[in-house]
Amino acid sequence: MTGVAEDITSDLTTRIVYDSLAGFTADMMDHYPQLARRTQRAPRRAWDGSGGWVEHDIELPVANGRPVLLVPRDWARNSLMMGSRRYYSRAILDYFQQQQTIQVSGHRFQPSKEVLRRRDATAYSRPLVLDTTVTAAHHGQDLMKQFKALIDAEYTPLTNDMLERKTR
């Protein structure tokens, strides 16, 4: 796909929500006319919601000679929230801890995440993450859904101060 960089996850996500971002950008250009002083028609490929990609042109503000697609502050984070390593640490290792916890004479013994990270059989790898997610699903446990709920519960929007520091 043209225009998609090596960071394919964020590029594809942006393409899927592109129409929403384009609408937000147009609203901001209406609300802040200075954004509309210099614009450029930009051809973009976006997800049409029914399983296909469509090409269309939109008017975008220009900064440093390049068209800019604005993102609502509440959508932005200063760090990746759902990366594979975080998923491994929070969902996969939790799953392994549940699977390997034993009860002996009323006492619960559970391996620490640090111990699990050091074991070859449970050390981080993308195939391990995928295989474990599928195995858990076959046993009725949706690790991705649980992880997303955890991330949603931890999410806090960027404050104006945080955003200001990031854009200086």
Side-chain angles (χ1 to χ4, degrees):
M1 180 184 307
T2 58
V4 176
E6 289 179 15
D7 179 14
I8 196 165
T9 302
S10 64
D11 284 347
L12 287 175
T13 301
T14 300
R15 303 283 184 195
I16 291 169
V17 299
Y18 196 88
D19 284 338
S20 296
L21 296 175
F24 175 75
T25 301
D27 290 347
M28 292 298 100
M29 288 170 56
D30 289 343
H31 191 72
Y32 300 99
Q34 63 270 35
L35 287 173
R37 286 188 190 138
R38 186 159 178 243
T39 63
Q40 178 179 329
R41 296 228 27 99
R44 294 295 183 237
R45 180 176 286 178
W47 185 252
D48 71 2
S50 65
W53 299 95
V54 293
E55 293 277 341
H56 57 92
D57 289 347
I58 63 166
E59 197 75 23
L60 293 174
V62 173
N64 296 322
R66 299 186 67 188
V68 176
L69 187 64
L70 302 177
V71 176
R73 181 185 67 203
D74 288 351
W75 288 23
R77 290 293 302 164
N78 58 355
S79 63
L80 183 62
M81 294 189 70
M82 293 187 70
S84 67
R85 290 209 179 258
R86 187 167 187 200
Y87 176 70
Y88 166 78
S89 291
R90 300 293 296 272
I92 300 297
L93 290 180
D94 285 355
Y95 177 75
F96 286 142
Q97 283 180 315
Q98 290 172 3
Q99 296 302 308
Q100 297 178 23
T101 297
I102 59 171
Q103 295 273 34
V104 177
S105 302
H107 296 284
R108 188 170 160 238
F109 295 94
Q110 173 178 298
S112 71
K113 288 184 177 183
E114 192 54 43
V115 166
L116 291 170
R117 282 185 186 95
R118 287 193 306 250
R119 289 182 186 162
D120 288 343
T122 54
Y124 174 83
S125 72
R126 286 184 183 256
L128 174 82
V129 168
L130 179 60
D131 291 345
T132 304
T133 301
V134 170
T135 299
H138 285 300
H139 292 103
Q141 198 167 351
D142 188 338
L143 297 181
M144 283 300 298
K145 184 177 180 179
Q146 292 170 5
F147 181 63
K148 185 176 181 322
L150 177 74
I151 295 301
D152 287 346
E154 292 178 352
Y155 174 77
T156 55
L158 290 174
T159 64
N160 287 339
D161 185 52
M162 292 165 71
L163 194 56
E164 181 70 27
R165 284 191 306 243
K166 284 294 198 183
T167 57
R168 283 187 195 154

